[in-house]
Amino acid sequence: MNTPQTLVLQAPTLDQARLTELAALSGAAAIERLSAGLARLDGVDASRRELVLQRADSLSIDANYVDSGRRFADFGLVVSDMDSTLITIECIDEIADMQGLKAEVAAITARSMRGELDFSASLRARVSLLAGLPESALARVYEERLQLMDGARALLAQCREHGIRFMLVSGGFTYFTERLRDELGLDYTHANQLEIVDGKLTGRVSGDIVDGAAKRRLLIAQREQLGLRPDQVIAMGDGANDLQMLAEAGVGVATHAKPVVRAQARYAISHVGLDGIRQLFL
């Protein structure tokens, strides 16, 4: 027996005309308007899903089909990417800016996130360009350029309220994940370690690279340690190196993501903040 589905619509402002159109297109039997930017549609026709999702995106609305009656408190773990997901920047691009190499490094980053380059090889190539940079440049990036994604604090507050653990798993660097952990009260963090000698970056990474496969393994390990089922885990990310962990989670959310990720993830948040993930569930 198929689980009843609810269509959740979110936008900065969800006007009545767009809501009415999507309700009709989805075959909804009931509409619950929860706020100016949030509505839940029940009794929808699941066979119209792809048509509804395409039309909603063209209207700048986030549309997601979720199991009816599923509550946020049912989850036990949220696993998040860092760069361009929990935070607005790509840290390595901003570090490279201190070397006058942002354009060159950002181009490699973009290709890697689109899945056009091997992540580990591209990371090593980018880090090699940072050789000789003083460690103080990392502090400048954290203090002057790093900003949380809209809705991040609200999502974290909801996780704490419901006893949901939060793990940051990044292909970026421990310098940033550890500071975010301390500032935001995150439960677990994993990332790559930049090698620093005599106060300067060597252009190398210490230890194994946290790539897509590693993100998946870390999610599984933490899930098992907490005694959770796969359906009790939410994962969110934006780049190709997040696809394996998104697929492993019960709810894998493409957040402001690259096309390759949007195409493969079952859930997506593109037009509202990260608190939109909380709003998917009662």
Side-chain angles (χ1 to χ4, degrees):
M1 182 176 179
N2 293 330
T3 302
Q5 295 284 291
T6 294
L7 174 60
V8 181
L9 301 178
Q10 300 185 76
T13 301
L14 182 59
D15 61 83
Q16 190 60 44
R18 290 185 297 165
L19 174 57
T20 300
E21 178 185 345
L22 290 173
L25 189 61
S26 68
I31 302 173
E32 182 181 12
R33 166 78 84 151
L34 297 176
S35 71
L38 172 64
R40 296 174 65 87
L41 282 59
D42 287 306
V44 294
D45 182 349
S47 69
R48 303 182 185 180
R49 180 178 182 274
E50 291 306 317
L51 184 63
V52 170
L53 295 183
Q54 290 175 15
R55 180 56 179 158
D57 191 50
S58 73
L59 295 172
S60 299
I61 294 173
D62 286 328
N64 288 280
Y65 286 79
V66 301
D67 291 347
S68 300
R70 190 77 194 273
R71 301 169 64 246
F72 191 61
D74 295 337
F75 296 92
L77 176 66
V78 172
V79 182
S80 176
D81 174 46
M82 179 176 68
D83 296 278
S84 298
T85 299
L86 188 66
I87 64 176
T88 62
I89 65 170
E90 293 285 339
C91 289
I92 193 167
D93 296 353
E94 301 306 320
I95 299 169
D97 196 28
M98 306 295 178
Q99 290 278 63
L101 295 170
K102 182 174 181 177
E104 180 177 350
V105 170
I108 301 173
T109 300
R111 291 187 64 198
S112 179
M113 292 303 99
R114 292 194 300 264
E116 298 171 5
L117 299 173
D118 175 76
F119 179 81
S120 296
S122 73
L123 181 68
R124 289 192 175 94
R126 286 173 287 163
V127 170
S128 70
L129 298 174
L130 307 179
L133 195 66
E135 185 178 6
S136 60
L138 305 180
R140 285 188 59 196
V141 170
Y142 188 85
E143 294 164 6
E144 299 174 11
R145 304 191 181 189
L146 187 148
Q147 294 183 354
L148 295 180
M149 193 69 73
D150 286 346
R153 289 189 186 277
L155 176 61
L156 289 166
Q158 287 292 309
C159 287
R160 287 191 292 271
E161 179 179 333
H162 293 285
I164 300 169
R165 304 293 180 87
F166 195 97
M167 181 165 74
L168 191 60
V169 181
S170 175
F173 308 115
T174 55
Y175 184 94
F176 301 99
T177 58
E178 290 174 357
R179 282 158 180 77
L180 286 168
R181 176 196 63 200
D182 295 343
E183 178 183 341
L184 301 174
L186 308 181
D187 296 291
Y188 321 102
T189 61
H190 301 275
N192 298 300
Q193 177 71 56
L194 286 170
E195 185 180 80
I196 299 172
V197 176
D198 296 330
K200 293 186 177 182
L201 278 64
T202 66
R204 294 186 294 272
V205 177
S206 300
D208 295 333
I209 298 292
V210 178
D211 58 6
K215 288 187 174 189
R216 176 180 176 272
R217 289 194 300 270
L218 288 163
L219 182 153
I220 292 171
Q222 193 60 61
R223 181 185 74 202
E224 292 179 346
Q225 183 178 339
L226 293 171
L228 299 173
R229 303 184 307 272
D231 66 286
Q232 291 178 288
V233 180
I234 297 171
M236 58 189 199
D238 73 299
N241 62 321
D242 297 315
L243 283 169
Q244 292 186 54
M245 76 172 186
L246 296 185
E248 187 62 40
V251 174
V253 187
T255 52
H256 307 281
K258 311 302 181 289
V260 66
V261 183
R262 283 286 308 275
Q264 296 187 46
R266 183 166 182 82
Y267 306 88
I269 294 293
S270 302
H271 305 291
V272 298
L274 296 183
D275 50 334
I277 294 173
R278 163 67 182 92
Q279 302 297 345
L280 295 177
F281 306 98
L282 294 172

